[in-house]
Amino acid sequence: MARDPRYDVLFEPVKIGPVTARNRFYQVPHCNGMGRSYPSSMAAMRRIKAEGGWAVICTEEIEIHHSADHSPWMGGRLWDDGDIPVLARMCDGIHEFDSLAGAELNYAGMMSANRYSRQAPMAPSHTPVASFDPLQAREMDKSDIRNMRRWHVNAARRAKRAGFDIVYVYAGHQLSTVSHFLSPYRNRRSDEYGGSLENRARLLREVLQDTKDAVGDTCAVALRFSVDELMGDIGFTSEGEGRDLVEMLAEVPDLWDVNISAWENDSATSRFKSQGYQDDYVSFVKQVTTKPVVGVGRYTSPDAMVSLVKNGTLDFIGAARPSIADPFLPKKIEEGRVEDIRECIGCNICVSGDHNFVPIRCTQNPTMGEEWRRGWHPERIAPKSSDDTVLIVGGGPAGLECASALGQRGYTVTLAEKSSELGGRVTNECQLPGLSEWGRASDYRAYQISQMTNVHCYLESPMTAQSIAEFGSDHVVLATGARWVASGIGRENPMGIKTSEAARVLTPDDILAGQTSNGPAVVFDDDHYYMGGLIAEKLRHDGVDVIYVTPATEVSTWTHNTLEQHAIQVRLLELGVKIITSHNLNEIRENGVVLHCGYTGKATELECNVCVLVTMRNPVDDLNVTLDVSKFKSVTRIGDCFAPSTIAAAIYSGHGYARELGEPQSDGVPFRRELPALAGDFLQEK
Ligand SMILES: Cc1cc2nc3c(=O)[nH]c(=O)nc-3n(C[C@H](O)[C@H](O)[C@H](O)COP(=O)(O)O)c2cc1C
Ligand code: SF4
C-alpha cells in the first residue's frame, strides 16, 4: 500500500550538522538492561529499529570514564579502546539500513556510586551521591575539570571510531555532571564555574566546543537538555533559565534534543500523562535556534506527528517507548499501514528491565529484548510446520497474542471467549482510573486477528471439557486467566487472614465488577504493583473513605520500577486516602480489621464496612483438571492461567507458545547467552 500523502512531511530528510537523517523518526537515547553486558542483544535490538525505518537510533547513556561508573546498571561504556567493538557492532547494524547512530556520552558524577571501580565520584560541590550509598562526591578542582573535558574528548573520538554519526553531550534529567554544574541547587561554587547562569553553563559550553573540535568534521554534536525540571523556581523552567540556556547556546550544538526532567516526568506513564505532554514546555526551542530540534511525548499518532512538524514545534519526532512497542512504526506509516501500528500503552514495564539489570521487556512487543537471544523478529515469524489446528480458550491478553501470532504463522485457530468482549483482564482493568490506554493491548490484537481468515473468533462461547473434546482440534490452549483470592493468602499471610463470617470482604475482581462500599473501606495491598493503589483511588472516586494498608514501607512499592511510585503516593494523599505502611492485616471482623505493626507487632484496630484484599491471584485452570488430555496432541496453559503475572508476561507467554508450536523442544536453555570471554592470564602480575 502507498503511504498517505498527508504523512509525506515525516519522510523528508533532515540535515544535522555534517550528517543527514533520511526521515524525521528519531529514536532518542534509551537504556535497555542489555548495554555492555549483553552487547549482541543490544545491537540486534537497535538494528531492527533501523530496519523498521527509524532514521536515527541512539544508544543509552554511555559511561565515558571509570570514575563515573554506574555498576551494576547495564548501560553503555567507553572507558577505553576495549569498549569500542561492542558499540561498533551496534553502529554496523544501524548503517545496514542507512540510518544514523547516535552515542549519548555521559559523565554521571554524583549519580554514580562507582561500586565497581571504587573511585571517588566527583561533583561541582561536595555532596553525598544520589543513591543511599555511604559515599560523597568530592568537589572538582580546576584540574578535575580539565581532566573531565579531556575524557569526554577521548570518548567522543572513540565513538567516532566505533562508527557513530551523532555524538551527544548530555545535560538532561539531572543525571550528568554538566547538568549538575548547570543546576542552581547543586552547584555552590564561587569560581567562574558557579554563580550566574553564564558561569554555570561554562562547562557545558566548553564540552560542546571540545566535542565539536574533536569529531565535528564528520559527526553531528547533539545536546540533550531538559528545559524544565517541574520544580518551580528552584530548578530550570521553560520560561526561566531553561529558555535562557537555549538562547545562550542556540547555535552551538548541531541538534537540540529537548525534554523535561526528572526521568519520571520525562517518561511519564499514561496513568498520569497523555501523548504530547511535553509540547508546551519545549515548543519555544525552535523559535530561538535555527538548529534542528527533537522532542518526545509518547508520540504514536502520525497525525499528531505531522502537526508537530507543520506547526513548527519539532523537526524530529523523538521516541523511546513508541519505538520499543513498535520498532516498525515508521515503516508502517510509510507503507500506508497505520492501523497496524502497535501503540505503546504507557505502562513503563520497559523501564523495569533496566531497573533490575536484565534485558528490556515490553507489554505490547513481546519480541523486545529477544531479537538476538531467541531470534524473535517483531514483524516476521516462521510459517507453520504442520496443518494442525488449535483451539484457544480465553480471549485475554495471552489468548489474543497467541491467536494473532499463530494466525500469522498460518495455523488454523479458533478462539473461544466466554464473555461478549475480547480482552479479558485488559478490558476490565482499563476501566480503572488512568488506565484507558492499556486497552490498546487488546485492541491491537483484536484488530490483527479480525484481518486473518484463518483465525475464527467466537464470543459468548464458554467452553467445557466436553465441548472442547467435541470440537476436536489437535491442540488446546487454555488462556482462562486468574482471579484474585478472598482468603488473604499472599506474601505476608501465607496461611490466609482470619476472617469473621459476618465480615464483608471484596477482591479487585468484585470492585471491577461494580461492587463498592457504603461506608469506610480498608484496602490491604500485599501485591505492591498498581492494583492496590488503583482500587483505593477508584473507591475514593466512588465517594468512599479509604484506608490503604500495606506491609511495605510505601504505597505500590514495585512501581519504582515503572517510575510511578512517587506519583501514585501523591495521588492517594491528594485524594484523601489515609495511608498506613509497615503494617500487616491479621484479622477481619464484622465492622473492622486488626493490624499489626511490622516492626513492634503492636496491634491497631480500624473500623470499616468493607475490606478489599489485594494479595494474590489463583489461576482459573479447572479445564486443565477436567480435560481428557489423551484426546489431543497437546493441552497447554498460557498466561495467568498458568502463572499469574503482569499483562506483559501474559502476552509474552502467548507469543512464546505460538513461536514454539511444532518446533523441536529440549531441556536446554531456551535462548542464546552471551558468556564472558576469559581475559589474559589468571592472577597476572603487573
Ligand atoms: C526504558 C527507558 C530507558 C531510558 N533511558 C534513557 C537514557 O539512557 N538516556 C536518556 O537520556 N533518556 C532515557 N530515557 C528517556 C527517553 O529518552 C525519553 O526522553 C522519554 O522516555 C520520553 O520519550 P517517550 O515518550 O518517547 O518514551 C529512557 C526511557 C525509557 C522508557
Ligand atoms: S513496556 Fe509499556 S510503556 Fe514501555 S514501550 Fe512497551 S507498552 Fe510502552
Side-chain angles (χ1 to χ4, degrees):
M1 246 190 287
R3 81 166 174 247
D4 187 326
R6 277 183 305 158
Y7 304 138
D8 285 354
V9 69
L10 301 174
F11 294 89
E12 291 169 351
V14 181
K15 206 165 168 332
I16 316 172
V19 297
T20 301
R22 63 183 160 115
N23 62 40
R24 296 183 187 270
F25 294 94
Y26 193 114
Q27 182 242 276
V28 289
H30 76 75
C31 39
N32 46 85
M34 302 188 289
R36 63 174 185 276
S37 301
Y38 306 113
S40 303
S41 299
M42 180 274 289
M45 178 269 288
R46 305 281 193 207
R47 179 184 176 277
I48 278 179
K49 292 202 194 179
E51 185 190 351
W54 299 88
V56 180
I57 292 135
C58 297
T59 60
E60 62 275 51
E61 281 180 53
I62 297 177
E63 299 169 359
I64 63 168
H65 194 259
H66 57 269
S67 62
D69 148 39
H70 259 311
S71 303
W73 177 76
M74 306 279 195
R77 192 165 267 178
L78 265 180
W79 288 3
D80 62 26
D81 289 358
D83 293 315
I84 293 176
V86 163
L87 292 164
R89 176 169 289 191
M90 165 184 159
C91 293
D92 290 348
I94 290 169
H95 291 156
E96 268 181 59
F97 298 94
D98 296 326
S99 297
L100 302 175
E104 188 182 50
L105 304 183
N106 183 29
Y107 190 84
M110 59 166 289
M111 291 296 153
S112 53
N114 295 348
R115 294 170 184 156
Y116 172 53
S117 69
R118 300 179 67 176
Q119 306 293 299
M122 300 196 295
S125 309
H126 292 295
T127 181
V129 292
S131 58
F132 289 151
D133 295 63
L135 178 72
Q136 286 196 193
R138 64 182 182 83
E139 181 171 297
M140 291 166 78
D141 63 22
K142 295 289 168 49
S143 72
D144 295 320
I145 291 175
R146 279 194 300 277
N147 288 341
M148 204 217 90
R149 288 176 56 186
R150 192 178 62 257
W151 299 334
H152 205 280
V153 165
N154 291 344
R157 292 206 173 106
R158 290 189 179 109
K160 178 174 165 174
R161 279 167 57 201
F164 284 100
D165 311 283
I166 301 173
V167 173
Y168 266 78
V169 175
Y170 180 40
H173 302 121
Q174 274 298 310
L175 289 176
S176 69
T177 298
V178 277
S179 59
H180 304 151
F181 269 80
L182 280 176
S183 168
Y185 58 90
R186 292 200 198 280
N187 180 341
R188 303 188 303 275
R189 301 175 75 94
S190 52
D191 63 3
E192 67 270 33
Y193 288 94
S196 65
L197 179 62
E198 185 69 44
N199 280 358
R200 283 181 276 126
R202 187 175 308 279
L203 180 62
L204 171 58
R205 192 192 281 277
E206 288 171 345
V207 173
L208 275 169
Q209 195 55 53
D210 292 343
T211 312
K212 287 181 85 168
D213 294 345
V215 299
D217 52 341
T218 57
C219 297
V221 175
L223 172 58
R224 185 154 231 218
F225 173 60
S226 301
V227 298
D228 204 306
E229 298 181 78
L230 309 197
M231 298 169 77
D233 290 341
I234 306 167
F236 275 72
T237 64
S238 54
E239 284 139 12
E241 287 199 334
R243 185 184 177 109
D244 297 344
L245 190 281
V246 180
E247 285 176 353
M248 193 183 280
L249 300 177
E251 302 301 313
V252 181
D254 295 315
L255 172 119
W256 283 91
D257 175 346
V258 285
N259 60 7
I260 57 174
S261 181
W263 186 15
E264 57 270 28
N265 294 324
D266 183 25
S267 298
T269 58
S270 57
R271 182 168 169 187
F272 295 98
K273 298 284 175 205
S274 327
Q275 174 178 228
Y277 56 94
Q278 309 205 18
D279 297 355
D280 290 346
Y281 296 100
V282 302
S283 56
F284 77 88
V285 178
K286 257 190 76 62
Q287 293 156 22
V288 294
T289 176
T290 64
K291 304 291 179 169
V293 177
V294 56
V296 285
R298 231 174 48 248
Y299 301 126
T300 56
S301 150
D303 292 307
M305 296 174 192
V306 167
S307 57
L308 285 164
V309 175
K310 290 208 163 152
N311 70 19
T313 305
L314 299 175
D315 298 291
F316 284 105
I317 306 304
R321 292 166 294 176
S323 76
I324 294 168
D326 196 341
F328 272 61
L329 182 149
K331 199 144 223 173
K332 288 175 182 173
I333 300 173
E334 191 169 25
E335 293 174 353
R337 299 192 292 125
V338 293
E339 59 289 341
D340 286 330
I341 295 173
R342 200 167 42 239
E343 288 183 281
C344 166
I345 69 167
C347 62
N348 277 4
I349 282 291
C350 47
V351 175
S352 70
D354 180 63
H355 264 215
N356 294 302
F357 325 122
V358 290
I360 188 168
R361 58 221 51 212
C362 168
T363 301
Q364 276 286 57
N365 175 8
T367 68
M368 180 46 52
E370 305 291 349
E371 301 85 350
W372 180 86
R373 69 175 193 171
R374 283 188 180 244
W376 288 2
H377 190 280
E379 298 299 311
R380 291 191 292 275
I381 189 164
K384 64 180 182 176
S385 57
S386 73
D387 287 331
D388 284 358
T389 57
V390 186
L391 169 67
I392 301 172
V393 184
L400 280 173
E401 174 61 24
C402 189
S404 171
L406 283 172
Q408 204 187 341
R409 291 190 66 187
Y411 281 102
T412 300
V413 180
T414 303
L415 177 63
E417 162 57 37
K418 75 170 182 200
S419 75
S420 57
E421 251 182 291
L422 290 173
R425 68 180 280 198
V426 171
T427 305
N428 294 335
E429 291 178 16
C430 75
Q431 308 303 322
L432 288 166
L435 295 197
S436 61
E437 267 186 36
W438 288 27
R440 292 172 173 179
S442 54
D443 293 347
Y444 165 75
R445 290 170 174 85
Y447 173 74
Q448 293 300 313
I449 60 177
S450 74
Q451 303 302 297
M452 296 173 179
T453 51
N454 54 328
V455 179
H456 311 283
C457 193
Y458 296 94
L459 297 175
E460 295 177 332
S461 304
M463 300 299 282
T464 61
Q466 194 186 344
S467 60
I468 293 172
E470 283 165 8
F471 189 80
S473 64
D474 295 305
H475 302 276
V476 176
V477 178
L478 300 176
T480 39
R483 288 193 66 80
W484 292 93
V485 301
S487 59
I489 294 176
R491 289 183 172 85
E492 205 66 23
N493 299 293
M495 302 298 286
I497 299 172
K498 184 178 167 200
T499 304
S500 136
E501 275 191 18
R504 185 155 177 240
V505 174
L506 297 179
T507 68
D509 292 316
D510 299 323
I511 303 289
L512 285 163
Q515 295 199 50
T516 188
S517 177
N518 52 5
V522 165
V523 175
F524 178 60
D525 187 359
D526 195 16
D527 172 63
H528 309 291
Y529 190 17
Y530 57 89
M531 188 55 83
L534 268 173
I535 293 294
E537 189 176 338
K538 162 131 190 18
L539 288 172
R540 273 310 286 144
H541 289 308
D542 292 347
V544 176
D545 286 335
V546 179
I547 307 168
Y548 170 98
V549 178
T550 180
T553 52
E554 60 194 353
V555 169
S556 302
T557 189
W558 194 82
T559 60
H560 279 290
N561 291 300
T562 57
L563 305 175
E564 295 173 295
Q565 195 284 325
H566 183 82
I568 294 173
Q569 191 135 356
V570 169
R571 167 82 43 98
L572 295 199
L573 287 168
E574 285 179 351
L575 284 170
V577 173
K578 183 171 177 201
I579 295 170
I580 301 180
T581 58
S582 305
H583 276 73
N584 189 16
L585 195 154
N586 300 77
E587 190 180 341
I588 308 171
R589 298 176 178 160
E590 182 177 356
N591 294 315
V593 296
V594 182
L595 315 179
H596 280 98
C597 172
Y599 298 104
T600 64
K602 187 174 167 227
T604 309
E605 292 184 21
L606 297 177
E607 282 187 14
C608 66
N609 290 39
V610 162
C611 179
V612 186
L613 296 177
V614 189
T615 60
M616 65 168 269
R617 288 173 294 152
N618 273 337
V620 178
D621 58 358
D622 347 359
L623 286 170
N624 190 52
V625 180
T626 48
L627 264 185
D628 178 356
V629 292
S630 66
K631 291 202 161 71
F632 311 95
K633 287 188 180 169
S634 72
V635 175
T636 311
R637 288 165 292 163
I638 59 170
D640 289 345
C641 167
F642 184 54
S645 180
T646 56
I647 295 170
I651 289 175
Y652 182 74
S653 159
H655 191 83
Y657 174 89
R659 290 258 175 191
E660 284 158 15
L661 182 65
E663 303 301 318
Q665 304 297 317
S666 81
D667 280 347
V669 181
F671 47 81
R672 286 197 281 175
R673 289 192 298 153
E674 303 192 54
L675 296 170
L678 292 178
D681 295 335
F682 183 53
L683 287 182
Q684 185 186 18
E685 300 222 353
K686 274 207 167 173

